[in-house]
Amino acid sequence: MMKFDKDKLKELIELPDDELWRTVVKIGRTHGFSLPEKTPPHDELERLRKIAKDGSKMNVTAAMRILGKYVK
């Protein structure tokens, strides 16, 4: 099971949309994913924030579904 740093997740979800997306793109690159630079709509990022809000119950599959829309 994956463990997430709750403090780091809290920092991330509090970032403005453009900064959050830049961070997601950067993290994705380190794991072999190619995501577009253009920030997705606010409602999509809010869905990611909601998933990440509680790191102990994070649904990685749901997060990957959202990000999968943007993988090149």
Side-chain angles (χ1 to χ4, degrees), residues 1-9 31 52 54-58 60:
M1 178 166 179
M2 296 176 96
K3 292 192 177 198
F4 297 94
D5 181 330
K6 288 182 184 183
D7 294 328
K8 186 63 176 172
L9 285 173
H31 295 283
D54 183 4
S56 65
K57 296 179 183 175
M58 184 163 14
V60 176

Side-chain angles (χ1 to χ4, degrees), residues 36-50:
E37 299 293 327
K38 185 177 182 214
T39 304
H42 177 74
D43 62 316
E44 290 290 311
L45 293 174
E46 283 301 305
R47 289 175 61 203
L48 281 177
R49 285 181 175 105
K50 183 178 178 184

Side-chain angles (χ1 to χ4, degrees), residues 11-58:
E11 279 180 36
L12 288 173
I13 64 176
E14 291 176 353
L15 291 173
D17 287 356
D18 58 340
E19 289 181 50
L20 172 60
W21 186 247
R22 278 194 301 270
T23 303
V24 168
V25 169
K26 183 179 175 182
I27 292 168
R29 281 190 191 131
T30 66
H31 295 283
F33 293 98
S34 177
L35 296 165
E37 299 293 327
K38 185 177 182 214
T39 304
H42 177 74
D43 62 316
E44 290 290 311
L45 293 174
E46 283 301 305
R47 289 175 61 203
L48 281 177
R49 285 181 175 105
K50 183 178 178 184
I51 291 167
K53 202 162 213 132
D54 183 4
S56 65
K57 296 179 183 175
M58 184 163 14

